[in-house]
Amino acid sequence: MGELFSLLKNGNKPSLAAAFVNTFLGIIKGAAFFFTGNVAMFAEMMHSFGDAANQFFVYIGSALSKKAPTPKFPNGYGRVVNLVCLGAVLIVAILSYETIKEGWHHFIHPATESHGIFIALGVLSIGIILEGFVLHKAAKEVLHEVGVEKAGMMAIPQSAQYLNRAKPATKLVWMEDLVATSGNVLAFAAIVIAYFTGFYRLEGLVSIIIGLMMFYVVGRVFLDNARGAIGETDEEMMIHIGNLVMEDRHVSDIARIEVIKEGEFLHVEVVAETDKSLSLDYLDDVRDHLVELILAQKGVTKVTLSFDEEDGITQWKHEPTE
């Protein structure tokens, strides 16, 4: 039990914050839907509860993925976070379907008047503020993970260009809260427009749009984490580490290099070519230096490095990165 609590302390903080925020929002949106019967509010209630469940799972998965390797699982538990994310998106997919179905029903059979508009707008205003806060926090975490600090108010647009390099849990929270914030704004606009124009079909249409946005997140997260669960190569880090190894004067070529994502971590395997006249004792010191250098790179937790004799055929052709 002590180990579990220790792991939970290292879980993804943005996902935990988002889970609590979305649970609170789901409750107040549910109360608002009960009193107003507004279908856009129903869509937002489903969205918030789906995100809350998703993000609680992701938080736990990100914590468990940091469990140290064991003799039975020598590669560690890094891919647990990918498996948890795959399971979590199923919840969002079901709620997305229900949201679209309810929106379609309301579009075909729209209400004739709107009730409790100020309750609905007040709840959505709270949602915009809280979801925007969590989105900003997730954006800052994305930038922190890629080594960019002090983004300030521009954190959200700036983080978008680095999203593919973010950890799986942080990326999921960023995407879900971007959709959640946008959904709150759309629902707010739909209620106001419907109230002043009498076009109540718009609330059903917005509910469908929110459901489709949720499905988009499901698709992106599923594909990203399916690749992670199988074992995906980090091309950028592979080139970077390969160039680092090639800078060593004892290495003449790289016969093979693999940099595999294990959840939030990277496992590296390198077979380097060197002069066969060098002694094993000397090469052992070279190996220790290179392993230490590779382990110092961001995200790398495991390195396997071996030497092979130079064969005269150049295989590593990447130019050094700037």
Side-chain angles (χ1 to χ4, degrees):
M1 186 63 71
E3 182 186 13
L4 177 61
F5 283 121
S6 178
L7 289 171
L8 290 176
K9 289 180 181 178
N10 295 317
N12 185 269
K13 299 301 187 299
S15 62
L16 181 62
F20 281 119
V21 166
N22 279 296
T23 299
F24 170 73
L25 290 175
I27 292 171
I28 64 173
K29 287 175 182 177
F33 171 68
F34 177 79
F35 287 111
T36 67
N38 188 285
V39 71
M41 190 59 64
F42 172 82
E44 278 302 303
M45 176 194 70
M46 296 290 279
H47 192 176
S48 293
F49 278 134
D51 284 353
N54 210 354
Q55 289 153 351
F56 269 124
F57 277 122
V58 169
Y59 170 70
I60 294 172
S62 68
L64 294 179
S65 70
K66 293 178 174 62
K67 183 178 171 64
T70 63
K72 190 173 183 179
F73 299 99
N75 288 328
Y77 295 78
R79 298 190 194 187
V80 168
V81 68
N82 298 117
L83 297 174
V84 170
C85 286
L86 286 173
V89 295
L90 294 178
I91 299 172
V92 182
I94 294 170
L95 295 178
S96 301
Y97 168 75
E98 292 295 331
T99 301
I100 293 172
K101 186 175 74 172
E102 186 66 21
W104 177 252
H105 175 77
H106 188 80
F107 184 78
I108 299 299
H109 306 287
T112 56
E113 59 180 322
S114 182
H115 303 284
I117 181 173
F118 294 109
I119 296 175
L121 294 180
V123 169
L124 287 172
S125 297
I126 295 172
I128 292 170
I129 294 170
L130 293 181
E131 295 283 14
F133 170 77
V134 175
L135 176 59
H136 187 262
K137 185 177 179 65
K140 289 174 65 177
E141 186 68 17
V142 169
L143 295 174
H144 173 71
E145 289 173 0
V146 299
V148 178
E149 305 291 349
K150 299 180 180 180
M153 296 300 295
M154 296 301 294
I156 295 173
Q158 190 174 354
S159 65
Q161 62 183 307
Y162 298 107
L163 195 59
N164 287 333
R165 292 169 55 190
K167 295 177 181 179
T170 307
K171 183 176 181 180
L172 184 146
V173 173
W174 190 98
M175 292 181 63
E176 286 191 337
D177 277 286
L178 177 65
V179 170
T181 305
S182 304
N184 279 310
V185 172
L186 285 174
F188 189 101
I191 292 172
V192 171
I193 293 171
Y195 179 79
F196 285 107
T197 65
F199 183 55
Y200 293 106
R201 275 192 170 91
L202 182 61
E203 294 177 359
L205 180 61
V206 165
S207 179
I208 294 172
I209 292 172
I210 292 171
L212 291 174
M213 289 165 65
M214 293 165 68
F215 262 126
Y216 173 76
V217 172
V218 167
R220 280 291 303 272
V221 173
F222 178 84
L223 291 175
D224 286 348
N225 286 280
R227 290 196 297 265
I230 295 170
E232 182 182 14
T233 297
D234 189 321
E235 295 281 350
E236 184 176 346
M237 283 299 289
M238 183 182 72
I239 294 172
H240 173 65
I241 291 172
N243 288 333
L244 282 179
V245 173
M246 285 297 295
E247 287 175 3
D248 190 285
R249 62 187 178 86
H250 303 96
V251 176
S252 57
D253 196 11
I254 295 177
R256 189 176 80 251
I257 179 170
E258 293 180 357
V259 181
I260 304 298
K261 293 180 181 178
E262 295 285 347
E264 300 178 359
F265 311 112
L266 298 174
H267 289 184
V268 179
E269 182 176 349
V270 180
V271 177
E273 294 184 3
T274 188
D275 188 339
K276 63 181 180 180
S277 65
L278 296 175
S279 69
L280 290 178
D281 286 342
Y282 188 82
L283 287 177
D284 190 54
D285 292 336
V286 175
R287 177 189 173 280
D288 290 343
H289 166 70
L290 288 174
V291 168
E292 184 179 357
L293 179 65
I294 296 171
L295 283 173
Q297 306 308 304
K298 191 174 182 65
V300 177
T301 58
K302 181 179 179 181
V303 178
T304 302
L305 190 147
S306 58
F307 288 107
D308 196 1
E309 67 179 80
E310 185 177 359
D311 58 9
I313 302 173
T314 302
Q315 299 188 57
W316 183 256
K317 298 179 181 180
H318 292 282
E319 293 295 329
T321 55
E322 296 181 358

